[in-house]
Amino acid sequence: MQNQTQDPALWFMNTRVKIVVPASIGDDRISVLKHWAPFQDSPPLHIHDSEDEVFHVLSGRIRFSVDDRSVILEAGDILMAPKGIPHSYIVESQEGAQWITVTTGGDFEAMVRETARPATAAGLPEAAHPTPEMIAAVDAACARSRIRLVGAPLAA
């Protein structure tokens, strides 16, 4: 059996991600990723066309928007964003937040692997604003992974 934690930490946009259980090791293609994001981190509003996405908050406070419904999650809380439904989040705790994401099929994991870079230090990457080229590359990777970007990140 493959060591499920051998993948190195990645910097995915302004977050740190560890692929804890890669989709490739099981028949059901379950993927488990651990995320650490800074205060006010928010991805664009998006839709996964092929995977439900389950979030389990480990620390911090995160406001999720799922199908125009706003929900606050804190440590221990769990939420599912069903496939086909627009969703996003924003980290509301000053110290950032950590959570686990679970999907099946490997599409989200593939997009993260394609767009992330190896973490070169402990902690979070230096915050950066995406360039038009970076946005185009992420949009193309999302399209290949059956994820549609449909709106702006959430505002604080």
Side-chain angles (χ1 to χ4, degrees):
M1 181 170 152
Q2 178 181 347
N3 178 350
Q4 296 177 1
T5 59
Q6 71 182 15
D7 284 350
L10 302 170
W11 284 340
F12 172 60
M13 299 183 199
N14 290 326
T15 71
R16 184 180 189 90
V17 175
K18 177 86 173 160
I19 299 171
V20 181
V21 179
S24 62
I25 68 169
D27 291 340
D28 290 337
R29 299 197 41 80
I30 294 171
S31 181
V32 179
L33 283 69
K34 184 176 181 184
H35 303 263
W36 176 15
F39 175 60
Q40 294 190 336
D41 183 66
S42 180
L45 186 67
H46 59 281
I47 297 171
H48 295 252
D49 287 323
S50 63
E51 300 174 303
D52 294 331
E53 192 170 21
V54 175
F55 302 94
H56 179 195
V57 176
L58 303 173
S59 67
R61 177 183 168 101
I62 308 170
R63 178 170 40 97
F64 285 87
S65 174
V66 179
D67 200 20
D68 292 327
R69 184 175 67 104
S70 185
V71 177
I72 304 288
L73 271 65
E74 295 181 331
D77 292 337
I78 298 173
L79 173 76
M80 186 178 79
K83 66 182 172 184
I85 302 295
H87 62 279
S88 187
Y89 68 81
I90 186 165
V91 175
E92 293 190 335
S93 46
Q94 289 284 333
E95 68 278 11
Q98 294 186 42
W99 68 95
I100 298 286
T101 301
V102 180
T103 59
T104 59
D107 285 340
F108 175 64
E109 178 188 324
M111 188 275 299
V112 169
R113 285 184 186 276
E114 182 178 344
T115 59
R117 61 201 186 280
T120 57
L124 295 168
E126 197 169 311
H129 294 288
T131 65
E133 295 80 18
M134 292 166 73
I135 293 169
V138 168
D139 191 39
C142 285
R144 284 188 290 279
S145 296
R146 299 184 283 179
I147 299 168
R148 291 180 282 143
L149 303 180
V150 296
L154 299 180

